[in-house]
Amino acid sequence: ILDMNMMILPGTQGYLESGIQMAQDQNAGLLIVRLNTPGGMLETTQSMIQDIFRSRVPIVFYVSPQGGTATSAGVFLTVAGHIAAMSPGTSIGSATPVQGSGKDIEGDMKKKAENMIVALVKSISDQRGRNVEWVEKAVREASSVTEREALQMKVIDIVAVDLPDLLRQVAGREVTVENKKVRLGDFSAAPQFVIEMSLKDRVLNVLSNPSVAALLWLGATTGISIELYHPGGILPGVVGVICLVLALISSQVLPV
């Protein structure tokens, strides 16, 4: 079980990858991702979708707890799961692309971004047998629905009150893993392991937060500029270079 109550950032991708690897190494029967997210980076989301499709362990994306949401990038991850589930009192949708600052994308770039994302999410939904028309509306019109509406529209497969209820409903369902049909067993009595997020991934997520990243770039430009205009100050230059390196790491230009 992964508790993904966070934005979709590079550290979140590392968390999913380590969870999938651990599940495969331990021959787990199922990997459940409890998802509650306002969205995140598109590039990171695409990489996570690739990880989901490569997984040898069936993955259930479960939008929870009550009041939780799978917004924006969360929509793509949920429909990419082998099983998509939501708990009562949750929502899914509003996947229109915006800039990292939260502002709307203008002009032709908006059309390009929307068309690219629509093609991606329609392809995922088609492979998983989910509602292709609605996911397009979620991108183009920022459509958002409740868990009951999502179930009726075949956006998700299950509405489950809690984890035991989810496991009961998952039993016997057929999913495609590595291009093979797999029938899921009854995991109600199976041992459960919650995988914690590593310190490295937590730090990376903090650095990748758009607000923190903006401050790092500001610190980098300010510190280096002061050093250039007043050589020998040392401290501004050192602080500026440290901020620059951290900013490049947060942007995934440099590896950790």
Side-chain angles (χ1 to χ4, degrees), residues 7-15 17 41 44 48 197 201 204-205 208-209 249-252:
M7 289 183 68
I8 307 303
L9 298 170
T12 314
Q13 179 189 346
Y15 184 35
E17 288 176 348
M41 295 181 177
T44 300
M48 292 174 71
M197 193 175 191
D201 290 333
L204 187 55
N205 264 8
S208 301
N209 185 290
I249 290 173
S250 72
S251 304
Q252 294 185 287

Side-chain angles (χ1 to χ4, degrees), residues 26-247:
Q26 296 183 0
N27 295 317
L30 202 64
L31 178 63
I32 296 175
V33 180
R34 289 190 287 223
L35 182 67
N36 179 23
T37 180
M41 295 181 177
L42 178 60
E43 184 179 351
T44 300
T45 305
Q46 289 176 300
S47 298
M48 292 174 71
I49 290 169
Q50 293 169 14
D51 293 330
I52 293 165
F53 276 91
R54 283 195 296 263
S55 174
R56 299 195 304 271
V57 177
I59 301 176
V60 177
F61 273 87
Y62 179 39
V63 183
S64 69
Q66 290 188 5
T69 182
T71 301
S72 192
V75 175
F76 312 148
L77 295 178
T78 303
V79 299
H82 297 92
I83 298 286
M86 296 173 69
S87 64
T90 56
S91 63
I92 184 171
S94 298
T96 302
V98 295
Q99 298 180 38
S101 61
K103 296 181 180 179
D104 288 337
I105 302 173
E106 302 292 341
D108 291 338
M109 283 304 299
K110 180 178 181 179
K111 187 180 293 185
K112 286 182 178 180
E114 283 188 355
N115 289 340
M116 185 271 288
I117 294 171
V118 165
L120 170 68
V121 75
K122 284 175 71 174
S123 175
I124 296 166
S125 300
D126 186 52
Q127 288 197 53
R128 296 302 194 205
R130 303 210 166 96
N131 190 324
V132 174
E133 289 74 20
W134 179 82
V135 295
E136 182 172 0
K137 286 181 65 178
V139 176
R140 296 196 188 279
E141 303 174 20
S143 175
S144 188
V145 294
T146 66
E147 81 287 348
R148 290 295 170 188
E149 292 170 330
L151 184 64
Q152 291 171 0
M153 297 167 66
K154 296 186 177 179
V155 177
I156 62 170
D157 308 302
I158 295 170
V159 172
V161 176
D162 52 23
L163 194 57
D165 184 31
L166 174 65
L167 293 174
R168 283 193 296 271
Q169 293 192 56
V170 162
R173 290 180 180 264
E174 192 174 75
V175 296
T176 301
V177 181
E178 293 188 306
N179 297 318
K180 298 176 184 176
K181 294 290 184 182
V182 176
R183 190 168 296 279
L184 300 177
D186 185 357
F187 298 107
S188 299
Q192 298 176 11
F193 300 95
V194 177
I195 300 172
E196 299 292 337
M197 193 175 191
S198 69
L199 178 61
K200 170 191 151 186
D201 290 333
R202 289 179 188 274
V203 171
L204 187 55
N205 264 8
V206 171
L207 295 178
S208 301
N209 185 290
S211 299
V212 175
L215 290 174
L216 288 173
W217 283 113
L218 179 62
T221 54
T222 302
I224 293 173
S225 297
I226 291 173
E227 186 66 33
L228 289 174
Y229 282 107
H230 302 281
I234 300 177
L235 181 60
V238 170
V239 172
V241 170
I242 290 173
C243 287
L244 177 63
V245 171
L246 292 176

